[in-house]
Amino acid sequence: MCCVSIPQSEWKPLELPSGTAIVIADSGIRRSLTNSAYNDRRNACEQSVEILRKYLPAIRSLRMFFGRAGSLFHIPAPEIERRAEHVVKEIHRVDQAIIALQRGDARMFGGFMFSSHKSLRDLYEVSIPELDYLVEIARGLPGIYGARLTGAGFGGCTVNLVAQKDAADLSRDCRRAIARRLDV
Protein backbone atom coordinates (compact mmCIF):
# COMPACT_ATOMS: atom_id res chain seq x y z
CA MET A 1 0.00 0.00 0.00
CA CYS A 2 1.06 3.57 -0.54
CA CYS A 3 0.03 6.73 1.28
CA VAL A 4 0.28 10.05 -0.55
CA SER A 5 -0.10 13.47 1.03
CA ILE A 6 -0.93 15.83 -1.82
CA PRO A 7 -0.39 19.18 -0.06
CA GLN A 8 3.10 18.15 1.04
CA SER A 9 3.78 16.03 -2.10
CA GLU A 10 4.98 13.24 0.16
CA TRP A 11 4.40 9.52 -0.01
CA LYS A 12 5.43 6.56 2.04
CA PRO A 13 4.80 2.85 1.69
CA LEU A 14 2.48 1.22 4.21
CA GLU A 15 2.14 -2.50 4.71
CA LEU A 16 -1.17 -4.30 4.96
CA PRO A 17 -1.66 -5.93 8.33
CA SER A 18 -0.09 -9.37 8.49
CA GLY A 19 -2.33 -12.17 7.29
CA THR A 20 -4.70 -9.92 5.33
CA ALA A 21 -5.52 -9.56 1.66
CA ILE A 22 -7.37 -7.11 -0.53
CA VAL A 23 -10.29 -8.43 -2.58
CA ILE A 24 -11.89 -6.22 -5.22
CA ALA A 25 -15.58 -6.77 -5.94
CA ASP A 26 -16.91 -5.34 -9.20
CA SER A 27 -20.48 -4.02 -9.10
CA GLY A 28 -20.77 -4.43 -12.87
CA ILE A 29 -21.96 -0.83 -13.11
CA ARG A 30 -19.79 1.30 -15.38
CA ARG A 31 -19.54 4.99 -14.71
CA SER A 32 -18.07 8.02 -16.35
CA LEU A 33 -17.01 10.96 -14.23
CA THR A 34 -17.77 13.39 -17.04
CA ASN A 35 -21.41 12.27 -16.95
CA SER A 36 -21.71 11.85 -13.19
CA ALA A 37 -22.50 14.21 -10.37
CA TYR A 38 -18.97 13.83 -9.00
CA ASN A 39 -18.00 17.27 -10.30
CA ASP A 40 -20.98 18.70 -8.40
CA ARG A 41 -19.48 17.22 -5.22
CA ARG A 42 -16.14 18.88 -5.89
CA ASN A 43 -17.85 22.20 -6.60
CA ALA A 44 -19.81 21.95 -3.33
CA CYS A 45 -16.54 21.48 -1.43
CA GLU A 46 -15.02 24.50 -3.13
CA GLN A 47 -18.13 26.52 -2.23
CA SER A 48 -17.85 25.37 1.38
CA VAL A 49 -14.27 26.68 1.56
CA GLU A 50 -15.43 30.05 0.23
CA ILE A 51 -18.17 30.21 2.87
CA LEU A 52 -15.84 29.15 5.69
CA ARG A 53 -13.23 31.68 4.60
CA LYS A 54 -15.63 34.43 5.75
CA TYR A 55 -15.20 33.13 9.32
CA LEU A 56 -11.69 31.70 9.08
CA PRO A 57 -9.78 33.81 6.49
CA ALA A 58 -6.71 31.55 6.51
CA ILE A 59 -8.69 28.53 5.27
CA ARG A 60 -7.64 27.54 1.73
CA SER A 61 -8.93 23.97 1.74
CA LEU A 62 -11.09 21.69 3.84
CA ARG A 63 -7.89 19.93 4.95
CA MET A 64 -7.02 23.12 6.84
CA PHE A 65 -10.41 23.16 8.57
CA PHE A 66 -10.03 20.01 10.67
CA GLY A 67 -9.23 20.76 14.28
CA ARG A 68 -10.01 24.48 13.99
CA ALA A 69 -12.37 26.28 16.34
CA GLY A 70 -15.86 26.56 14.92
CA SER A 71 -17.86 24.07 12.96
CA LEU A 72 -19.47 23.53 9.63
CA PHE A 73 -22.72 25.08 10.91
CA HIS A 74 -21.62 28.28 9.18
CA ILE A 75 -22.55 26.64 5.88
CA PRO A 76 -26.21 27.52 5.29
CA ALA A 77 -26.86 25.00 2.49
CA PRO A 78 -27.39 21.50 3.95
CA GLU A 79 -26.13 19.73 0.81
CA ILE A 80 -22.90 21.71 0.75
CA GLU A 81 -22.49 21.14 4.50
CA ARG A 82 -22.85 17.36 4.04
CA ARG A 83 -20.20 17.32 1.29
CA ALA A 84 -17.80 19.36 3.44
CA GLU A 85 -18.49 17.21 6.50
CA HIS A 86 -17.61 14.09 4.52
CA VAL A 87 -14.31 15.55 3.32
CA VAL A 88 -13.26 16.87 6.73
CA LYS A 89 -14.09 13.57 8.44
CA GLU A 90 -12.50 11.54 5.63
CA ILE A 91 -9.23 13.43 6.04
CA HIS A 92 -9.29 12.54 9.74
CA ARG A 93 -10.20 8.90 8.95
CA VAL A 94 -7.26 8.64 6.55
CA ASP A 95 -4.88 10.03 9.15
CA GLN A 96 -6.19 7.51 11.70
CA ALA A 97 -6.14 4.67 9.14
CA ILE A 98 -2.44 5.33 8.55
CA ILE A 99 -1.83 4.87 12.26
CA ALA A 100 -3.86 1.65 12.23
CA LEU A 101 -1.78 0.32 9.32
CA GLN A 102 1.46 1.30 11.03
CA ARG A 103 0.31 -0.69 14.06
CA GLY A 104 -0.77 -3.62 11.91
CA ASP A 105 -4.30 -3.30 13.32
CA ALA A 106 -6.59 -4.87 10.71
CA ARG A 107 -9.77 -4.42 12.77
CA MET A 108 -9.20 -0.73 13.30
CA PHE A 109 -8.25 -0.14 9.67
CA GLY A 110 -11.29 -2.12 8.52
CA GLY A 111 -13.54 -0.08 10.79
CA PHE A 112 -12.31 3.07 9.06
CA MET A 113 -13.11 1.46 5.71
CA PHE A 114 -16.72 0.76 6.78
CA SER A 115 -17.04 4.28 8.22
CA SER A 116 -15.69 5.76 5.02
CA HIS A 117 -18.26 3.87 2.95
CA LYS A 118 -21.09 5.06 5.19
CA SER A 119 -19.92 8.65 4.79
CA LEU A 120 -19.54 8.27 1.01
CA ARG A 121 -23.09 6.89 0.93
CA ASP A 122 -24.83 9.27 3.35
CA LEU A 123 -22.88 12.55 3.21
CA TYR A 124 -21.07 12.66 -0.12
CA GLU A 125 -23.84 10.61 -1.77
CA VAL A 126 -21.71 8.89 -4.41
CA SER A 127 -22.60 5.30 -3.62
CA ILE A 128 -25.26 3.31 -5.42
CA PRO A 129 -27.39 0.38 -4.19
CA GLU A 130 -25.16 -2.19 -5.90
CA LEU A 131 -22.05 -0.92 -4.08
CA ASP A 132 -23.95 -0.70 -0.79
CA TYR A 133 -25.07 -4.30 -1.27
CA LEU A 134 -21.51 -5.50 -1.90
CA VAL A 135 -20.34 -3.79 1.29
CA GLU A 136 -23.21 -5.30 3.30
CA ILE A 137 -22.52 -8.78 1.89
CA ALA A 138 -18.88 -8.45 2.88
CA ARG A 139 -19.76 -7.13 6.36
CA GLY A 140 -21.54 -10.39 7.16
CA LEU A 141 -18.83 -12.75 5.94
CA PRO A 142 -16.18 -14.49 8.04
CA GLY A 143 -12.75 -12.92 8.03
CA ILE A 144 -13.84 -9.51 6.74
CA TYR A 145 -12.25 -6.48 8.38
CA GLY A 146 -13.57 -3.69 6.19
CA ALA A 147 -15.12 -2.74 2.87
CA ARG A 148 -15.86 0.46 0.99
CA LEU A 149 -16.46 1.72 -2.48
CA THR A 150 -13.34 2.71 -4.34
CA GLY A 151 -12.81 5.52 -6.78
CA ALA A 152 -15.34 8.26 -7.32
CA GLY A 153 -18.45 6.16 -6.81
CA PHE A 154 -21.57 6.01 -9.00
CA GLY A 155 -20.54 2.49 -10.00
CA GLY A 156 -17.31 0.58 -10.14
CA CYS A 157 -15.92 -1.58 -7.36
CA THR A 158 -15.58 -2.12 -3.66
CA VAL A 159 -12.27 -2.80 -1.97
CA ASN A 160 -12.39 -5.31 0.87
CA LEU A 161 -9.83 -6.09 3.56
CA VAL A 162 -10.13 -9.73 4.53
CA ALA A 163 -8.15 -12.35 6.40
CA GLN A 164 -5.93 -13.96 3.79
CA LYS A 165 -7.25 -17.42 4.66
CA ASP A 166 -10.81 -16.23 3.85
CA ALA A 167 -10.09 -14.30 0.63
CA ALA A 168 -11.21 -17.04 -1.78
CA ASP A 169 -14.36 -17.62 0.29
CA LEU A 170 -15.19 -13.89 0.17
CA SER A 171 -15.12 -13.95 -3.63
CA ARG A 172 -17.27 -17.10 -3.78
CA ASP A 173 -19.73 -15.90 -1.11
CA CYS A 174 -20.17 -12.50 -2.81
CA ARG A 175 -21.00 -14.21 -6.11
CA ARG A 176 -23.50 -16.51 -4.36
CA ALA A 177 -25.19 -13.64 -2.49
CA ILE A 178 -25.52 -11.61 -5.69
CA ALA A 179 -26.97 -14.60 -7.54
CA ARG A 180 -29.53 -15.12 -4.73
CA ARG A 181 -30.49 -11.45 -4.80
CA LEU A 182 -30.90 -11.51 -8.57
CA ASP A 183 -32.62 -14.90 -8.29
CA VAL A 184 -30.27 -16.38 -10.88
Side-chain angles (χ1 to χ4, degrees):
M1 265 195 141
C2 176
C3 174
V4 178
S5 176
I6 301 300
Q8 290 82 22
S9 298
E10 298 172 357
W11 69 272
K12 59 184 169 187
L14 297 168
E15 298 290 325
L16 285 177
S18 179
T20 64
I22 295 287
V23 174
I24 305 299
D26 188 350
S27 70
I29 307 296
R30 298 292 143 255
R31 52 127 174 87
S32 166
L33 293 183
T34 56
N35 296 330
S36 76
Y38 183 77
N39 291 328
D40 297 338
R41 284 11 179 217
R42 286 189 48 90
N43 290 337
C45 290
E46 290 168 9
Q47 290 173 1
S48 69
V49 170
E50 291 303 314
I51 293 166
L52 290 170
R53 195 173 290 145
K54 294 174 189 172
Y55 305 97
L56 299 164
I59 296 294
R60 298 287 175 248
S61 72
L62 288 172
R63 173 174 284 285
M64 297 174 72
F65 184 74
F66 186 77
R68 297 268 184 162
S71 70
L72 296 171
F73 72 84
H74 294 296
I75 300 174
E79 183 178 290
I80 294 173
E81 180 182 6
R82 285 193 309 275
R83 307 303 185 239
E85 181 181 350
H86 163 73
V87 171
V88 169
K89 288 181 177 180
E90 188 74 355
I91 290 166
H92 181 65
R93 267 191 295 277
V94 168
D95 291 343
Q96 295 304 302
I98 290 168
I99 293 168
L101 286 173
Q102 290 169 335
R103 292 179 179 166
D105 191 333
R107 291 210 183 283
M108 182 181 287
F109 182 73
F112 290 126
M113 292 175 73
F114 282 127
S115 294
S116 178
H117 183 80
K118 182 178 186 305
S119 182
L120 286 161
R121 182 191 67 211
D122 298 342
L123 298 175
Y124 214 57
E125 299 178 277
V126 294
S127 191
I128 58 172
E130 292 84 352
L131 292 171
D132 297 338
Y133 185 60
L134 287 172
V135 169
E136 287 311 307
I137 291 170
R139 183 186 298 275
L141 296 176
I144 193 73
Y145 294 107
R148 58 159 282 171
L149 70 84
T150 188
F154 301 107
C157 301
T158 63
V159 60
N160 304 268
L161 182 67
V162 63
Q164 201 163 30
K165 67 179 181 57
D166 295 313
D169 292 342
L170 177 85
S171 298
R172 182 198 65 226
D173 292 345
C174 278
R175 284 192 300 275
R176 285 180 180 167
I178 290 167
R180 278 193 306 273
R181 182 171 186 174
L182 298 175
D183 200 27
V184 177

